Amino acid sequence: GAVVSQHPSRVICKSGTSVKIECRSLDFQATTMFWYRQFPKKSLMLMATSNEGSKATYEQGVEKDKFLINHASLTLSTLTVTSAHPEDSSFYICSARKEVNQPQHFGDGTRLSIL
Amino acid sequence: AQSVSQHNHHVILSEAASLELGCNYSYGGTVNLFWYVQYPGQHLQLLLKYFSGDPLVKGIKGFEAEFIKSKFSFNLRKPSVQWSDTAEYFCAVTLYNTDKLIFGTGTRLQVFP
């Protein structure tokens, strides 16, 4: 149980394109989903926390207009990287959890490459 | 700011060797502690967690970790590693009753037969 599906697993696109990444909890309802970014040989850095039906809470230094997060249902959150540039190239990972103090379950991640 | 330190960046062991991976955190309040594992090509999976109670926590696949509050540590151990334990291991912390997971930089473990 507790499977999180992330799609796509890899995307390559031109600079200026907007890219949408989906995160789905397949067998549980996730009241909260999280979006992380991982740089090479670095730890996962939390970008934002998303609660179903409300606006996401962004971490300091993360541009909310650049990284649009939508959490329209208890099983789906999306991250849209708007007008992506090469510096946005990274590995993006989502996670989901049922309740506070419950462990987060992670998706497989999305490798985003902006040319 | 709160942080998590993993001192071993890359560990290489032979099968049957014992393993201990260090994890220290900086926060004076109540914390929840986690170890996650990421096998090659797979997503992060929870190995074990500590919320309260017995500070010696047993997880999956023979792993255990000990919370030593006075040392702000949560080291991961396994008495005898296997080749299949080759993976990246991440220590993580949440402050009590919050959601924000703070990760260490990870330790890459390679086990040779």
Side-chain angles (χ1 to χ4, degrees):
Chain A
V3 177
V4 174
S5 172
Q6 193 171 335
H7 179 80
S9 58
R10 172 141 200 169
V11 58
I12 303 171
C13 57
K14 294 181 179 179
S15 185
T17 308
S18 291
V19 178
K20 181 185 282 189
I21 303 170
E22 292 188 347
C23 181
R24 293 180 186 273
S25 57
L26 298 185
D27 51 0
F28 66 100
Q29 293 190 322
T31 54
T32 305
M33 290 185 171
F34 306 84
W35 288 95
Y36 296 84
R37 183 171 177 177
Q38 186 176 28
F39 295 95
K41 298 184 180 179
K42 300 264 187 180
S43 65
L44 284 76
M45 302 296 295
L46 180 66
M47 297 174 65
T49 302
S50 167
N51 289 299
E52 184 264 338
S54 60
K55 289 185 179 180
T57 303
Y58 290 80
E59 294 299 303
Q60 193 172 14
V62 178
E63 299 175 59
K64 55 184 69 176
D65 294 331
K66 173 69 149 176
F67 299 100
L68 298 179
I69 292 172
N70 183 275
H71 193 162
S73 78
L74 283 171
T75 59
L76 173 64
S77 176
T78 60
L79 167 68
T80 301
V81 184
T82 61
S83 187
H85 289 96
E87 59 266 27
D88 299 323
S89 298
S90 194
F91 194 58
Y92 294 87
I93 305 173
C94 75
S95 72
R97 64 130 178 88
K98 299 175 190 176
E99 306 169 345
V100 177
N101 285 335
Q102 292 295 309
Q104 296 177 27
H105 303 282
F106 288 82
D108 288 338
T110 297
R111 174 77 58 193
L112 175 63
S113 300
I114 308 298
L115 305 177
Chain B
Q2 296 82 32
S3 65
V4 178
S5 300
Q6 289 182 246
H7 319 294
N8 318 101
H9 298 293
H10 190 187
V11 174
I12 301 173
L13 294 172
S14 298
E15 274 193 321
S18 64
L19 170 73
E20 180 159 3
L21 301 182
C23 173
N24 288 89
Y25 63 93
S26 63
Y27 180 68
T30 304
V31 295
N32 297 325
L33 298 151
F34 306 81
W35 275 97
Y36 283 88
V37 60
Q38 187 171 27
Y39 297 104
Q42 297 187 28
H43 60 266
L44 279 165
Q45 300 173 43
L46 182 67
L47 258 185
L48 47 78
K49 64 182 186 293
Y50 172 80
F51 284 175
S52 63
D54 189 344
L56 184 61
V57 180
K58 295 196 183 298
I60 60 172
K61 304 187 180 185
F63 286 91
E64 65 178 30
E66 185 175 12
F67 171 48
I68 303 179
K69 190 173 181 179
S70 61
K71 295 184 178 180
F72 299 90
S73 70
F74 191 55
N75 292 354
L76 181 71
R77 299 194 292 250
K78 185 170 183 178
S80 176
V81 294
Q82 300 173 312
W83 176 78
S84 57
D85 293 324
T86 295
E88 186 100 22
Y89 292 82
F90 292 91
C91 181
V93 167
T94 58
L95 308 183
Y96 181 71
N97 225 28
T98 72
D99 282 323
K100 182 176 176 178
L101 260 177
I102 303 167
F103 281 90
T105 50
T107 297
R108 184 180 172 211
L109 173 66
Q110 280 185 291
V111 180
F112 289 97

